[in-house]
């Protein structure tokens, strides 16, 4: 299984005039309108004037009949299931009733797409659809925390992971509930087109380009009064982002928050779902990715500005977390001095 936070830049950005990246939204009665909206917002909105890639989103169904959605909405498919053979990515929305049986032609088409090597992604309860197709048997998958037991009961051959926002196993991506679907969609953009493309779309959607941590932070439990000091922790994170190029320690951040280091680490993890050190590493990796995409700065300077201290340290973290090297990442996604943002 791939680390849910690892970006694998195995695709190159679209050169000018390249064909749009083709995304298939699989539609059938019972899919969630919210997930349809998320998929449409990420891949169905033209943002090429802001430097985002060109996408070709198609709504694919077994027959041309309108697909009813909850709330009186209707989705009209514009392609048949055969279009999945042309897709670069296939996305399955979640379900209103998580035990809804997908039409047999849909399940067959998903099996063929996976056998063809096309990445498949399911949002929230969409994991149930992939499980019906047998595509999750013996593989790790995630769904909304409130549906984990249901997925395990009805699909015991699936290795259900209890705590992740999204994850991948054998080119199949699954995501936890609702907002985690946004996280996965943006991650898939970042994986295929780079961090700057994902950040452009995230800015347009007024959401974070990526979140760290797992869905355990969202499971229902009483919130102690001591864990409600969100403003202080937010101020500390903002300070850290402004000073990533400087040495930052948990003790120093704790002192800025007016807390003992162990208390600070506990509150920080409760608020973000990850440790202070892991959060700092994530931010430094993101900063390095942007510098590699936007500028032609030499590697030692990229490492310094991102707070890694040395090129060797930066290279080690890229290898362990992103499964690539800084130079390979720049070769895949860099626009360098040709990007006006870099100047």
């Amino acid at each position: 299984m791939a680390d849910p936070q690892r970006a694998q830049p195995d695709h190159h950005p679209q050169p000018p005039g390249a064909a749009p990246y083709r995304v298939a939204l699989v539609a059938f009665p019972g899919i969630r309108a919210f997930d349809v909206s998320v998929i449409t917002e990420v891949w169905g909105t033209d943002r090429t004037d802001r430097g985002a890639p060109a996408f070709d989103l198609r709504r694919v169904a077994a027959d041309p009949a309108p697909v009813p959605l909850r709330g009186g909405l209707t989705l009209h498919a514009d392609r048949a299931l055969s279009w999945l053979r042309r897709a670069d990515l296939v996305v399955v929305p979640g379900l209103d009733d998580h035990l809804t049986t997908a039409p047999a032609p849909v399940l067959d088409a998903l099996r063929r797409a996976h056998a063809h090597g096309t990445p498949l992604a399911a949002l929230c309860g969409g994991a149930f659809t992939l499980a019906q197709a047998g595509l999750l048997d013996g593989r790790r998958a995630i769904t909304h925390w409130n549906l984990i037991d249901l997925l395990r009961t009805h699909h015991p051959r699936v290795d259900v992971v209890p705590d992740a926002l999204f994850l991948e196993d054998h080119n199949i991506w699954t995501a936890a509930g609702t907002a985690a679907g946004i996280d996965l969609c943006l991650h898939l953009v970042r994986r295929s087109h780079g961090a700057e493309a994902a950040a452009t779309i995230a800015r347009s959607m007024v959401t974070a380009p990526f979140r760290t941590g797992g869905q355990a932070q969202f499971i229902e439990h009483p919130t102690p009064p001591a864990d409600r000091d969100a403003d202080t922790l937010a101020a500390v994170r903002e300070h850290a982002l402004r000073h990533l190029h400087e040495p930052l320690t948990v003790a120093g951040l704790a002192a800025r928050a007016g807390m003992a280091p162990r208390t600070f680490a506990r509150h920080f993890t409760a608020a973000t779902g990850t440790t202070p050190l892991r959060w700092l590493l994530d931010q430094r990796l993101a900063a390095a990715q942007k510098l590699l995409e936007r500028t032609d700065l030499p590697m030692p300077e990229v490492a310094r500005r991102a707070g890694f201290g040395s090129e060797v340290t930066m290279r080690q973290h890229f290898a362990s977390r992103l499964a690539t090297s800084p130079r390979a990442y720049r070769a895949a996604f860099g626009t360098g001095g040709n990007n006006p943002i870099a100047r």
Side-chain angles (χ1 to χ4, degrees):
M1 181 199 77
D3 186 318
Q5 301 300 330
R6 282 167 61 159
Q8 302 168 5
D10 55 356
H11 301 282
H12 292 269
Q14 297 164 317
Y21 187 79
R22 298 180 295 267
V23 181
L25 186 165
V26 178
F28 56 90
I31 58 173
R32 293 179 70 215
F34 178 86
D35 292 345
V36 170
S37 298
V38 168
I39 297 165
T40 303
E41 183 65 27
V42 172
W43 286 291
T45 301
D46 184 0
R47 300 182 179 91
T48 53
D49 61 333
R50 281 164 271 179
F55 299 119
D56 182 11
L57 174 67
R58 298 295 174 174
R59 290 145 291 278
V60 177
D63 60 62
V67 178
L69 305 177
R70 180 174 291 179
L73 303 175
T74 301
L75 177 67
H76 293 270
D78 51 15
R79 290 294 185 274
L81 288 171
S82 58
W83 197 80
L84 294 188
R85 292 196 300 268
R86 302 179 55 196
D88 299 302
L89 172 68
V90 175
V91 189
V92 181
L95 306 168
D96 288 319
D97 178 350
H98 307 291
L99 299 182
T100 296
T101 300
V106 168
L107 299 179
D108 289 339
L110 290 172
R111 295 185 193 104
R112 288 194 298 271
H114 182 254
H116 187 256
T118 305
L120 305 183
L123 310 189
C124 193
F128 285 80
T129 301
L130 296 183
Q132 290 172 24
L135 294 171
L136 299 183
D137 288 354
R139 293 180 178 139
R140 292 162 65 87
I142 187 62
T143 188
H144 190 285
W145 60 265
N146 199 37
L147 301 174
I148 287 174
D149 289 341
L150 188 66
L151 183 59
R152 285 173 171 160
T153 298
H154 287 268
H155 301 282
R157 298 184 64 185
V158 180
D159 182 6
V160 183
V161 177
D163 180 20
L165 292 178
F166 55 83
L167 54 82
E168 180 265 352
D169 195 339
H170 286 81
N171 216 24
I172 297 177
W173 296 83
T174 50
T178 313
I182 301 174
D183 295 325
L184 174 56
C185 291
L186 291 173
H187 177 78
L188 292 171
V189 172
R190 185 164 61 249
R191 179 176 178 267
S192 59
H193 295 91
E196 184 57 32
T200 297
I201 295 173
R203 283 193 296 269
S204 176
M205 295 173 63
V206 196
T207 190
F210 65 93
R211 293 187 296 165
T212 57
Q215 67 171 325
Q217 62 188 301
F218 307 111
I219 295 174
E220 292 179 349
H221 53 75
T223 304
D227 288 340
R228 294 176 182 156
D229 198 0
D231 289 344
T232 297
L233 294 176
V236 170
R237 292 196 297 271
E238 183 179 352
H239 168 82
L241 290 173
R242 290 199 305 266
H243 298 272
L244 280 178
H245 60 286
E246 301 176 4
L248 295 171
T249 65
V250 174
L253 296 177
R256 176 167 288 272
M259 301 178 187
R262 291 182 64 180
T263 302
F264 171 76
R266 185 175 68 252
H267 287 229
F268 192 100
T269 302
T272 66
T274 190
T275 66
L277 287 177
R278 178 69 177 256
W279 182 86
L280 273 174
L281 175 57
D282 286 336
Q283 306 313 311
R284 284 178 165 148
L285 284 169
Q289 287 174 288
K290 287 186 178 182
L291 289 169
L292 291 169
E293 290 182 24
R294 297 180 178 187
T295 75
D296 292 322
L297 290 171
M299 291 296 167
E301 180 63 12
V302 172
R304 187 193 70 79
R305 293 194 185 190
F308 286 111
S310 72
E311 181 182 353
V312 172
T313 301
M314 179 174 70
R315 188 165 59 245
Q316 291 171 340
H317 285 300
F318 263 70
S320 63
R321 293 293 301 283
L322 305 179
T324 188
S325 69
R327 294 183 187 278
Y329 188 91
R330 172 173 274 172
F333 297 121
T335 56
N338 293 325
N339 188 337
I341 299 176
R343 295 195 286 271

